[in-house]
Amino acid sequence: MTAFSNPISIKDQLPESNQPKLVWDGTEWVRGKWIASLSVPITDEDMYDGFHGRLDPETGINYMYEGWYELIGHLEGYEFVSMWGQDKVTHWIDLPPSPT
């Protein structure tokens, strides 16, 4: 039985925040990750690059917006991008182990 035969519905369980997964975007499996609210701070460098997030008024820290992000490697200086149509993500699975 492969991991693809047992995808986890986001209605049943969200993955741990900021951990790479394979996610179903409604069309295909893509590398992505779920970011939970107030879980991943934005650096000053990110803010300088125009990336804005959610400000926690109690701490004054900016955090990434909650949602799904696609992991990419082809844009210099970017590790991931926000996934448009967040409601299209329905399932996720753990990434397979690297070959040895």
Side-chain angles (χ1 to χ4, degrees), residues 7-78:
I8 300 168
S9 170
I10 63 168
K11 292 179 183 178
D12 296 331
Q13 178 184 351
L14 288 171
E16 183 179 345
S17 184
N18 202 28
Q19 296 298 310
K21 303 292 179 190
L22 286 178
V23 300
W24 182 253
D25 72 357
T27 306
E28 63 184 334
W29 289 101
V30 296
R31 291 176 57 237
K33 61 183 175 180
W34 167 255
I35 301 293
S37 181
L38 303 178
S39 66
V40 179
I42 298 173
T43 66
D44 289 340
E45 183 177 318
D46 292 332
M47 293 296 285
Y48 179 77
D49 286 342
F51 186 84
H52 301 284
R54 178 179 173 206
L55 177 66
D56 180 353
E58 293 182 19
T59 64
I61 297 173
N62 278 297
Y63 290 89
M64 291 180 64
Y65 289 114
E66 179 176 273
W68 290 99
Y69 292 79
E70 183 176 358
L71 297 172
I72 59 172
H74 61 278
L75 295 176
E76 186 176 338
Y78 294 93

Side-chain angles (χ1 to χ4, degrees), residues 68-90:
W68 290 99
Y69 292 79
E70 183 176 358
L71 297 172
I72 59 172
H74 61 278
L75 295 176
E76 186 176 338
Y78 294 93
E79 174 185 334
F80 51 84
V81 294
S82 179
M83 292 181 72
W84 302 112
Q86 305 247 355
D87 58 333
K88 292 184 179 181
V89 175
T90 60

